[in-house]
Every structure is written in structure tokens, then in C-alpha cells.
Amino acid sequence: MGSFSLKAAAHVVFVVVLGIVLPLQTAEGFTGGKEQREFDYFVLALQWPAALCRNITVCCPTNACCRGADSPTEFTIHGLWPQYEGKGWPSCCTNETFNENEISSLFEDLDKYWPSYRCGLVGSCDSRKGSFWAHQYEKHGTCGTPVILQEYDYFLTTLTLFFKYNVTKALENAEIIASDIKKYPIQDVVNAVHLAFKANPKLACAKRGIIKEIYLCFDKQFKLRDCDATKSCPKAVKLPEFHDPQAFNLWRITTQRLKERSDKD
């Protein structure tokens, strides 16, 4: 995994300090259409590219699965989400709309480490549609008050946490690497992250125990804390290898046809 661009790195200390020293305010700052209180903690949601790219059937320039040799093969960012203790989360907390010009200096890092795995626009607040980044900021980032107050701070803070807590490296250090064959005890995955960061993550799995996402949890001072227990994964999980979607689909179709031919014979 790389590092921040120079423009982004110059602001990292400012953002982290900002999140720590701001006094807590009441939930009156939220102006969304429904009653919402101030959040309790943050979740940094990370996506495993190979899990998301397995079912891609149509490629387009905005889909990171379709970048060939430049497609991501390590965990990437899904979003930074304010959460409530117990259940639920605030969403669409202001009427602010995403402005990509505010984060133009971060484009290089965002494109590489916070890519979209889909084509087309994404639904956001008030029936608006926009980019994947717009969706994340309008739905989740606007709810970061009083810790995160502006669009630029939301994206830079998220990148900062992502680089500081490198989940891919933590798993590799425990010899948990991408494989289409090998399965890992889920507790080994949890233990690897805990060993690196002294906090338990939460996992989300797709069918057949494929890890789709890993979550890290933070308090309002961005200190790691344990996440809730994982419930959507079996006792043994997989981190599949990345395959080019178009090549993978061709292989899948060919395999299916050979199977059908064999059944007929």
C-alpha cells in the first residue's frame, strides 16, 4: 500500500487534531428532515475488491474492477460512518450537496484507495444521485458533527485512518493472504487485526464465507475500540484472489458449458 500524495500529507496533522480538540456540541446542529441525535462512534468500512468484482458483468471507466493491472488487490475504503451505540446510525444530516472541487487535491489518493466498484450514479439524500463519493459524504459525512465539520475534512480524515491502520498488512503479517483455495478460521482473522491494532474488528461475508468487508471502530477522538461481534460469517472464511471480471466471466461461462455438455454425455 502506498502513501498520501504530498498535498494530502500536509494536512493530516490538522485534521486529526481537529477531531480531538473540538468540544462536543448538542445534536441541534443536525438539520436533516427527521429527528436524529448526535452519533456515538465511527466505523471505518473497508472492502475486499476481489469479493466485489466476482459478479461484475459489465465494465465501465468508473468501475475499479475494470482497470486491468491497476485494479485494486488490497482492502479499499467503503466509507467512514457515524454510528449509534446498539443499533442504527444518523444519515443525511444536512442539506449539503457534495462538491468535488472541495477535494480536488485528494483525487489521486481517492481514485486509488477509495474507488467505486459499480457503473452509473448512486442514490443519496432527497432522491439525489451522484458519484460514490457523493453518496458517502451526503449520507454519512454530513453526520460527523461536531468532530468532522467539512467535506474536505471528512475525506482526508478517512484516508488518514486508512493509511494508519493497514488491515491488509496486518493480515499478511499473520500469513492470511488472498487465495482461491485456502480457508482461514475466522478467529485467526480477528486475532490478526487485534494483534496489530489492539481492538477487535467486525467482518461481513458473502456466500461461501467470502470476506466482503472488514470494519474498524473508533471513538470520537479516533482511538480504536472493539466493534460488535461478527454475525454474518461462518467459522472458516476466504479472501479470494482478484480476477479480471471479463476474463473471469469467460472462464465461468466456458466451465458451465463444459459441465452441461458433460451432463448430456
Side-chain angles (χ1 to χ4, degrees), residues 249-265:
N249 285 331
L250 178 61
W251 171 84
R252 184 162 48 188
I253 292 171
T254 302
T255 301
Q256 181 62 29
R257 288 176 177 173
L258 290 174
K259 182 178 183 302
E260 292 172 354
R261 185 179 301 174
S262 177
D263 292 340
K264 290 180 181 179
D265 295 341

Side-chain angles (χ1 to χ4, degrees), residues 10 21-22 31 54 87-88 91 135 140 193-195 197 209 223 240-241 251 256:
V21 303
L22 278 175
T31 58
R54 290 174 66 87
K87 287 186 176 181
S91 64
H135 169 81
H140 301 289
V193 177
H194 187 277
L195 179 64
F197 309 134
K223 294 180 181 178
E241 299 175 36
W251 171 84
Q256 181 62 29

Side-chain angles (χ1 to χ4, degrees), residues 165-176:
Y165 301 101
N166 188 330
V167 169
T168 304
K169 185 176 180 180
L171 296 182
E172 289 177 348
N173 288 343
E175 298 184 354
I176 298 174

Side-chain angles (χ1 to χ4, degrees), residues 13 44 49 61 97 125-126 129 141 152 164 186-187 198 237 265:
V13 175
L44 176 64
T97 57
C125 305
D126 296 330
K129 288 186 177 293
Y152 182 85
K164 183 175 181 180
I186 188 172
Q187 194 57 49
K198 310 306 182 216
V237 295
D265 295 341

Side-chain angles (χ1 to χ4, degrees), residues 24 61 77 120 141 150 153 158 160 167 169 171 180 189 194 197 203 231 237 248:
L24 294 182
I77 300 168
Q150 298 176 343
D153 296 339
T158 306
T160 302
V167 169
K169 185 176 180 180
L171 296 182
D180 288 333
V189 177
H194 187 277
F197 309 134
L203 280 63
K231 297 180 180 179
V237 295
F248 184 75

Side-chain angles (χ1 to χ4, degrees), residues 2-9 12 106 109 113 155-156 158-163:
S3 58
F4 282 125
S5 64
L6 292 178
K7 289 183 180 179
V12 169
L106 302 177
D109 293 316
Y113 303 112
F155 286 96
L156 183 56
T158 306
L159 285 167
T160 302
L161 295 172
F162 174 72
F163 279 98

Side-chain angles (χ1 to χ4, degrees), residues 56 66 186:
I56 296 296
C66 307
I186 188 172

Side-chain angles (χ1 to χ4, degrees), residues 19 42 80 147-148 157 161 165 218-224:
F42 288 105
L80 183 66
V147 181
I148 297 174
T157 299
L161 295 172
Y165 301 101
F218 300 85
D219 65 19
K220 291 180 178 180
Q221 287 72 45
F222 296 112
K223 294 180 181 178
L224 276 164

